[in-house]
Amino acid sequence: MTTTPHPVRGQRPPVGLAVQLAIAVVTLSLLIRFGAFDPAVVARFGNLPAFVAGMLPPDPRPLPTLVMSMIETVMIAFAGTSIAVALSVPLALLSTRSLFGDAVTVPLRFVLSVIRTVPSIIWALIFVVTVGFGPLAGVLGTAMYSTGYLSKLLYEAFDAVDREVLEAIRVMRVGKLAEMRYVVLPEAANYVLSQSLFMFEYNVRASAILGLVGAGGIGFYILAYVQVLDYRSLSTALIVLLAFVLAVDFVSSRVRKRFLPD
Amino acid sequence: MQLKLEGVWFGYRNPVMVLRGVDVVFRSGEVTMVLGRSGSGKTTLLKVAAGLLRPSRGRVIAVDDSGEPLSRPKIGYIPQGIGVVGNMTVMENVLLGALDRNRGLGTLLGRFPREEVERAEEILEQLGLGGMENELVRELSGGQRQRVAIARSLMHGAELVLADEFVSQLDPLTTIEVLELIRSLKARGIGFAITTHDVHLVPRYGDKVAVLKDGKIVMERLASMTSPEELVEAL
Ligand SMILES: Nc1ncnc2c1ncn2[C@@H]1O[C@H](COP(=O)(O)OP(=O)(O)OP(=O)(O)O)[C@@H](O)[C@H]1O
Ligand SMILES: [Mg+2]
């Protein structure tokens, strides 16, 4: 391939100076309103070094408990994501415009968008009320939000499947199920896998705070350590969290490499 | 079999009509070249003929050799981009042609009756794709994909194949190979309707030519009764 030389245009910012200034002014006035320049507040920034010093060294004693609760967090994310994938694939197929008419896709897409408007932690709170404290509420909350989110990613991928391929099959009158099974799913399979992995990685991070509402996992301890001012245990918890997140990202990048071409 | 378009009108958005009273007949055992300029509505015409688009006026009917209407004519449609499933193997793509007569859980789980698999192997052999059953279609050349698409139509039992710009993207030698293949299939009673804007293909490989212009068939005659110059004139 050859490239034709073309004049390099000046790198102009996408919005004009006036807009940038306006955004800066609004942000600044918000900070003032929230008290960022209140002398009493500014003085409290001086506590930061003391706070950090208070976190060191990390306390190794709660390590076994924290590792177990972090494993629970990962399990919540895993179970919640798996349920979401299982629900999202059929829901996304039903929301695909090249397969179903507006009478099906429009209401379904609306319901899915309502579901994903509510974050996992609020869903978890609702499930804590209905099924009680513990990881089950976390799993259900994660599954709810992820179903709303993943379905959207998937129906967009299904919609993007080449219509011509679908039409060539449709002429042979094979039925909708066969169209899904033999055209839409195989053509979008890589995308389904990569988005499911992405959702899992995201959920591992998001599940770390589910404990704040009593829905299981390491978040319970993080909240507790902050409340009792046990900053050395808090730093242990953060290290465990970081280690697991990195490990999960590593594993899922290996899965990607193994199953997805580039 | 004959597929007849009678006074067909079609527009994607009213009131703009792409087809404005098209009359044309495609027959099995015959190659019809549909000639027209870019944007003249060739793709639209084939989609209407294939039943993918419903005419706003007029009708499309299939009749057998004694003139009896056929409710489920065996038609194959090969879109401009070939329409094969890239992430599946050659064999899987060909077996899609057998789906309409093998509905049910088995085929949805990927299990096809033994005789269908044998039939598919036979067809692949005939089309020079023997031994390629397990290749992924996205890794094939353009000419090979076209053969896969033909194989799928044969597997379906198509008596008429509607092929959009079938040879436009191929190099000249492959074009001739594919058209020779079509000629040999014609001898077995299979018909083709092929859209093109290449007037030179018409006399060599077409039995009949239909020229589409301004939403109508402005010329329909035996390919041997016309010349490239005359066709260019008609376009
Ligand atoms: N999906 C669509 N929605 C709206 N208009 C369309 C659509 N497809 C085609 N058209 C319009 O219909 C007209 C005919 O298009 P068509 O694709 O049938 O032409 P064609 O003869 O196949 O052209 P080409 O040789 O470039 O493939 C064009 O004006 C095009 O803009
Ligand atoms: Mg076209």
Side-chain angles (χ1 to χ4, degrees):
Chain A
M1 202 178 85
T2 58
T3 52
T4 39
H6 56 89
V8 178
R9 289 207 208 97
Q11 291 290 313
R12 270 212 238 140
V15 290
L17 192 60
V19 177
Q20 293 180 45
L21 267 177
I23 292 172
V25 168
V26 170
T27 306
L28 209 59
S29 49
L30 286 173
L31 284 173
I32 291 168
R33 187 183 151 83
F34 296 149
F37 299 100
D38 183 335
V41 174
V42 172
R44 264 183 261 145
F45 279 118
N47 294 344
L48 201 58
F51 173 71
V52 172
M55 289 178 80
L56 296 171
D59 187 345
R61 283 171 306 170
L63 193 61
T65 315
L66 287 171
V67 168
M68 289 315 292
S69 66
M70 188 61 212
I71 289 174
E72 186 176 78
T73 293
V74 174
M75 292 191 307
I76 292 170
F78 185 84
T81 311
S82 305
I83 295 170
V85 173
L87 294 175
S88 296
V89 170
L91 287 171
L93 284 168
L94 286 167
S95 309
T96 301
R97 294 214 171 98
S98 51
L99 290 170
F100 295 95
D102 285 355
V104 181
T105 60
V106 171
L108 198 53
R109 284 177 182 217
F110 176 73
V111 170
L112 291 169
S113 80
V114 170
I115 290 176
R116 71 174 170 272
T117 312
V118 181
S120 303
I121 190 149
I122 307 288
W123 281 117
L125 191 59
I126 293 169
F127 285 115
V128 163
V129 175
T130 50
V131 302
F133 289 107
L136 181 61
V139 169
L140 296 176
T142 302
M144 259 330 245
Y145 172 76
S146 309
T147 298
Y149 193 82
L150 199 54
S151 297
K152 179 181 163 68
L153 294 177
L154 297 189
Y155 70 62
E156 279 172 356
F158 294 162
D159 262 341
V161 168
D162 192 350
R163 285 216 179 199
E164 279 196 339
V165 182
L166 212 45
E167 287 170 345
I169 301 294
R170 193 163 286 166
V171 168
M172 301 190 292
R173 299 167 196 253
V174 298
K176 283 231 157 83
L177 284 173
E179 287 176 15
M180 295 172 189
R181 163 66 175 84
Y182 285 105
V183 179
V184 177
L185 288 176
E187 292 294 83
N190 288 347
Y191 193 84
V192 173
L193 176 59
S194 80
Q195 293 310 312
S196 302
L197 283 171
F198 161 78
M199 199 74 230
F200 174 56
E201 290 167 36
Y202 173 89
N203 280 336
V204 170
R205 291 164 230 262
S207 304
I209 58 165
L210 289 174
L212 269 59
V213 296
I218 198 169
F220 170 77
Y221 293 97
I222 293 177
L223 181 67
Y225 294 145
V226 171
Q227 285 170 340
V228 303
L229 313 181
D230 182 354
Y231 298 138
R232 290 183 53 203
S233 297
L234 176 64
S235 60
T236 311
L238 294 179
I239 289 166
V240 169
L241 176 61
L242 182 70
F244 271 79
V245 166
L246 290 177
V248 164
D249 286 4
F250 176 75
V251 169
S252 90
S253 81
R254 293 308 290 257
V255 175
R256 271 204 180 84
K257 275 221 182 70
R258 168 82 178 70
F259 290 103
L260 302 175
D262 22 79
Chain B
M1 184 190 98
Q2 293 184 17
L3 189 66
K4 300 184 186 175
L5 279 72
E6 298 177 346
V8 165
W9 287 66
F10 179 85
Y12 290 94
R13 279 180 298 262
N14 283 324
V16 189
M17 286 289 147
V18 176
L19 304 180
R20 310 159 61 82
V22 167
D23 289 293
V24 70
V25 182
F26 302 133
R27 289 186 184 83
S28 51
E30 201 173 85
V31 175
T32 307
M33 294 284 188
V34 177
L35 207 58
R37 290 176 174 239
S38 190
S40 60
K42 301 183 294 297
T43 298
T44 308
L45 172 63
L46 282 201
K47 283 189 180 176
V48 171
L52 290 165
L53 299 173
R54 193 181 293 270
S56 42
R57 259 205 270 164
R59 63 173 187 165
V60 179
I61 55 160
V63 296
D64 66 14
D65 293 333
S66 53
E68 288 296 310
L70 294 164
S71 60
R72 293 191 154 242
K74 290 285 188 181
I75 291 176
Y77 171 65
I78 304 180
Q80 204 156 349
I82 311 302
V84 285
V85 187
N87 277 338
M88 294 201 310
T89 65
V90 169
M91 177 52 95
E92 288 169 325
N93 266 277
V94 176
L95 284 172
L96 296 186
L99 276 174
D100 68 317
R101 55 180 180 268
N102 292 284
R103 281 164 180 262
L105 200 59
T107 50
L108 286 177
L109 294 174
R111 267 185 268 285
F112 284 81
R114 187 185 190 80
E115 60 273 17
E116 297 286 14
V117 177
E118 282 166 4
R119 171 109 190 88
E121 277 167 354
E122 225 171 88
I123 289 171
L124 286 171
E125 196 66 46
Q126 289 164 8
L127 298 196
L129 292 170
M132 302 197 70
E133 288 82 357
N134 297 318
E135 306 274 327
L136 273 180
V137 163
R138 71 173 133 83
E139 290 167 0
L140 300 183
S141 73
Q144 289 168 332
R145 277 177 216 218
Q146 251 142 340
R147 285 164 193 270
V148 172
I150 295 178
R152 185 169 68 191
S153 289
L154 294 183
M155 190 69 191
H156 180 57
E159 294 172 55
L160 180 67
V161 179
L162 308 168
D164 201 4
E165 306 276 347
F166 198 48
V167 287
S168 308
Q169 302 103 316
L170 298 178
D171 64 77
L173 280 178
T174 315
T175 300
I176 290 173
E177 255 175 52
V178 170
L179 288 171
E180 289 295 347
L181 174 63
I182 285 176
R183 187 180 271 176
S184 73
L185 293 171
K186 197 177 72 176
R188 285 165 45 179
I190 297 163
F192 287 84
I194 303 174
T195 64
T196 182
H197 33 239
D198 186 344
V199 292
H200 298 284
L201 289 177
V202 172
R204 281 194 66 183
Y205 295 99
D207 296 307
K208 227 178 59 184
V209 59
V211 178
L212 182 64
K213 190 182 180 183
D214 301 327
K216 290 197 184 75
I217 299 294
V218 294
M219 177 176 162
E220 185 180 10
R221 66 173 70 158
L222 292 178
S224 56
M225 304 290 283
T226 181
S227 66
E229 294 72 28
E230 194 186 7
L231 293 170
V232 169
E233 190 75 19
L235 274 177

Tab-separated table of all heavy atoms in Angstrom, chain B residues 43 80 164-165, ligand 2:
chain	number	residue	atom	x	y	z
B	43	THR	N	-29.162	-5.544	-7.504
B	43	THR	CA	-29.207	-6.234	-6.220
B	43	THR	C	-30.639	-6.280	-5.691
B	43	THR	O	-31.115	-7.320	-5.220
B	43	THR	CB	-28.282	-5.522	-5.202
B	43	THR	OG1	-26.944	-5.581	-5.702
B	43	THR	CG2	-28.355	-6.172	-3.839
B	80	GLN	N	-23.665	-10.384	-3.052
B	80	GLN	CA	-22.445	-9.785	-3.599
B	80	GLN	C	-21.190	-10.177	-2.806
B	80	GLN	O	-20.156	-10.453	-3.371
B	80	GLN	CB	-22.621	-8.261	-3.566
B	80	GLN	CG	-21.775	-7.543	-4.562
B	80	GLN	CD	-22.365	-6.176	-4.920
B	80	GLN	OE1	-23.501	-5.859	-4.566
B	80	GLN	NE2	-21.604	-5.386	-5.623
B	164	ASP	N	-25.398	-12.514	-7.137
B	164	ASP	CA	-25.206	-11.079	-7.328
B	164	ASP	C	-23.737	-10.767	-7.599
B	164	ASP	O	-22.876	-11.076	-6.776
B	164	ASP	CB	-25.681	-10.345	-6.063
B	164	ASP	CG	-25.993	-8.888	-6.333
B	164	ASP	OD1	-25.920	-8.471	-7.502
B	164	ASP	OD2	-26.320	-8.176	-5.363
B	165	GLU	N	-23.447	-10.148	-8.719
B	165	GLU	CA	-22.064	-9.759	-9.087
B	165	GLU	C	-21.130	-10.934	-8.866
B	165	GLU	O	-20.074	-10.789	-8.257
B	165	GLU	CB	-21.595	-8.590	-8.208
B	165	GLU	CG	-22.495	-7.391	-8.212
B	165	GLU	CD	-22.234	-6.467	-9.393
B	165	GLU	OE1	-21.204	-6.633	-10.047
B	165	GLU	OE2	-23.098	-5.618	-9.661
C	2	MG	MG	-25.531	-4.499	-6.443
